Amino acid sequence: MTTATEENLEKQLAPIVERFRGKKGSTIALLSAIQDTFGYLPEEAVDSVSRSLNIPSAELFGVASFYSLFRFQPEGKYVLRLCRGTACHVQGSSLIGEQLKRHLDIEEGGTTKDGMFSLNFVACLGCCSLAPVMMVNGEVHGRLNPEKAVEILESYRASDREGTR
């Protein structure tokens, strides 16, 4: 017996299933299409597409877990990317990362319970002269220390409450 939720999921996935039916070697594009639809890869959606296209779900999850561009949970409203490149590392990005994890009460790759922030550590943001650097939704913040990084997050939170972002 299918539920209304399952029927809605099938309806959302129908165009994706049809687009990829019979196409071999398109796993990454298939997963990207699912993520584009939902903002992440919900387990139910991947399982549904697996059944519809007769692709083992383990294969889909294996590919998705290998590539860092795929997410298994929704991202927060503000996505933080903290650089871990050499220049940033030497300037203390690991201390900033620890402070952000404590302040937000999440681990690397996690999203806060309120859905406000997601925290990702990245290899390089290409802003070495501003090290250490973090991006928030594409906005660069440089010459950070742990306290300044938290102040920046709180400015986003305050702006969000005030409706100015």
Side-chain angles (χ1 to χ4, degrees), residues 1 4 7 13 25 31 39 46 51 64 66 73 80-81 84-85 106-108 110 119 121 123 129 144 149 163 165:
M1 181 165 149
E7 288 175 14
L13 292 170
L31 292 167
V46 175
R51 286 188 303 276
F66 179 79
Q73 63 181 9
L80 315 175
R81 288 181 170 74
R84 286 289 175 96
I106 58 175
E107 291 299 315
E108 174 185 354
L119 177 62
F121 298 156
S129 64
L144 298 175
R165 279 203 199 257

Side-chain angles (χ1 to χ4, degrees), residues 51-66:
R51 286 188 303 276
S52 296
L53 295 177
N54 199 27
I55 301 170
S57 62
E59 180 180 324
L60 295 177
F61 282 110
V63 170
S65 63
F66 179 79

Side-chain angles (χ1 to χ4, degrees), residues 134-156:
M134 138 177 106
M135 275 185 152
V136 181
N137 287 4
E139 188 176 338
V140 176
H141 300 276
R143 297 188 177 92
L144 298 175
N145 59 46
E147 296 76 25
K148 185 176 177 184
V150 168
E151 287 172 17
I152 290 166
L153 296 188
E154 290 309 311
S155 75
Y156 278 90

Side-chain angles (χ1 to χ4, degrees), residues 3 36 44 55 58 61 88 101 104 111 116-118 126 129 133-135 143 148 153 161:
T3 66
D36 289 346
E44 310 79 40
I55 301 170
F61 282 110
C88 289
K101 290 190 312 186
L104 297 171
T111 300
M116 186 72 70
F117 297 102
S118 291
S129 64
V133 175
M134 138 177 106
M135 275 185 152
R143 297 188 177 92
K148 185 176 177 184
L153 296 188
R161 278 193 300 266

